[in-house]
Amino acid sequence: MVQRQTLYADILLPLPLGSCFTYRVPYELNGSIATGKRVVVPFGRNKVYSGLVRRIHQIPPEGFNARYIHSVLDNTPVVTPDQFIFWEWIASYYMCSPGEVMNAALPPAMKLAGETRISLNPGVKAPEGSLSDKESELLEALKNKQPMTLSEASKSISVSRIFPVIKSMIDKGLILLKEELDDPWRPRTVRYVSLREKYFMEEELKEVFEYCEKKAPRQLELLMAFFRQSDGEGQMKNREVDAERLTGSVKGGSAALR
């Protein structure tokens, strides 16, 4: 008679906490759990997170009963032992927690939590017959309300274990996390002002000065500021100025520039 093994797993969560948390592995997950895979675990009273398996062992925690892991999200590990060691070195060097390093290192789609918000991926349609019943239900629910938290998604399709459904739909490109849609890492852009090619000619430019002197003194003041601030002396085509800097140097500069 084969005796059942009771396994425990130390789970790293993407939170600013000092150490891993120990959870009990349900017997049916003994064959699928592995170091480096993501698992879904309860945390606190009502929260749920996806964390990374750091270590698997048979040592029950002292002083409390370990809660059960809900599910395993990955077929193969997404983080290697060397990466864990590297994260721990970073945490030590920068005096932070491994969870904070994990949070910075993993892309948003790999850090799921109960309050993570999801939306439909614009322009992407599921091939006919490629979705499960629960995925189809969630797709319809998102058409009526988005973004939606994973907790709301779970209630909308009456399923307690929403994470595997969400992961499958992310893998199919059907939904995006709000962090991905917001894309906070946009490049900073600066608007510059330059002369139109027509006014590279001295005669044309002289006419503009004469017109502004008679009809638009504020625009004349802005034009003079442009030449004071611009680069490329002697080469009209190389002259350009930061629009914000230019308009800020003249009273009513924004209206004059328009």
Side-chain angles (χ1 to χ4, degrees):
M1 183 176 179
V2 179
Q3 189 176 5
R4 282 193 174 192
Q5 274 191 324
T6 300
L7 298 180
Y8 296 88
D10 295 338
I11 308 301
L12 180 62
L13 298 174
L15 300 170
L17 303 170
S19 61
C20 294
F21 290 80
T22 302
Y23 289 84
R24 186 168 175 174
V25 181
Y27 178 72
E28 62 271 18
L29 297 182
N30 278 9
S32 58
I33 196 163
T35 301
K37 285 187 178 182
R38 287 177 302 154
V39 293
V40 180
V41 295
F43 187 80
R45 288 189 175 182
N46 303 308
K47 293 185 177 180
V48 180
Y49 286 95
S50 64
L52 288 166
V53 179
R54 181 67 183 93
R55 187 170 74 101
I56 301 168
H57 54 85
Q58 292 181 269
I59 306 169
E62 295 181 3
F64 67 95
N65 292 323
R67 301 167 78 178
Y68 279 96
I69 290 171
H70 286 342
S71 59
V72 177
L73 289 177
D74 303 304
N75 294 324
T76 58
V78 296
V79 174
T80 68
D82 285 343
Q83 284 175 297
F84 278 125
I85 293 170
F86 182 49
W87 290 357
E88 287 158 6
W89 177 86
I90 292 174
S92 174
Y93 187 84
Y94 289 103
M95 294 184 290
C96 61
S97 69
E100 290 172 291
V101 179
M102 170 189 170
N103 192 42
L106 291 183
M110 297 186 73
K111 298 176 295 185
L112 302 175
E115 299 311 306
T116 297
R117 290 184 292 171
I118 56 172
S119 293
L120 293 173
N121 191 351
V124 176
K125 293 184 178 180
E128 192 172 342
S130 66
L131 299 183
S132 67
D133 292 341
K134 290 302 180 183
E135 289 172 350
S136 297
E137 284 182 43
L138 182 55
L139 206 60
E140 290 302 315
L142 283 168
K143 288 177 182 177
N144 297 321
K145 179 186 184 301
Q146 58 176 323
M148 183 183 289
T149 67
L150 298 197
S151 300
E152 292 170 337
S154 179
K155 292 175 184 176
S156 72
I157 63 173
S158 303
V159 61
S160 59
R161 297 187 175 182
I162 190 68
F163 281 72
V165 178
I166 296 297
K167 179 186 179 296
S168 175
M169 295 182 73
I170 288 174
D171 290 345
K172 292 172 182 175
L174 297 173
I175 60 176
L176 293 173
L177 274 61
K178 188 168 189 301
E179 289 89 340
E180 294 177 298
L181 291 173
D182 286 346
D183 188 17
W185 304 109
R186 292 190 181 94
R188 179 176 180 268
T189 58
V190 178
R191 188 165 61 110
Y192 276 80
V193 176
S194 60
L195 288 175
R196 291 183 62 181
E197 187 175 352
K198 175 181 178 181
Y199 299 105
F200 292 170
M201 303 295 293
E202 187 175 342
E203 291 181 3
E204 297 286 349
L205 192 59
K206 183 179 178 181
E207 286 184 18
V208 172
F209 271 99
E210 290 175 351
Y211 172 84
C212 290
E213 191 173 12
K214 295 177 182 177
K215 303 285 188 178
R218 191 73 72 196
Q219 291 177 33
L220 176 63
E221 190 177 351
L222 192 76
L223 193 57
M224 295 296 291
F226 170 83
F227 280 101
R228 284 196 302 271
Q229 297 177 23
S230 61
D231 300 324
E233 292 183 11
Q235 299 183 46
M236 293 297 183
K237 65 179 180 180
N238 292 334
R239 290 180 178 267
E240 56 181 25
V241 175
D242 182 332
E244 185 176 352
R245 177 187 168 205
L246 177 63
T247 56
S249 66
V250 175
K251 186 177 180 180
S254 296
L257 181 61
R258 286 196 299 274

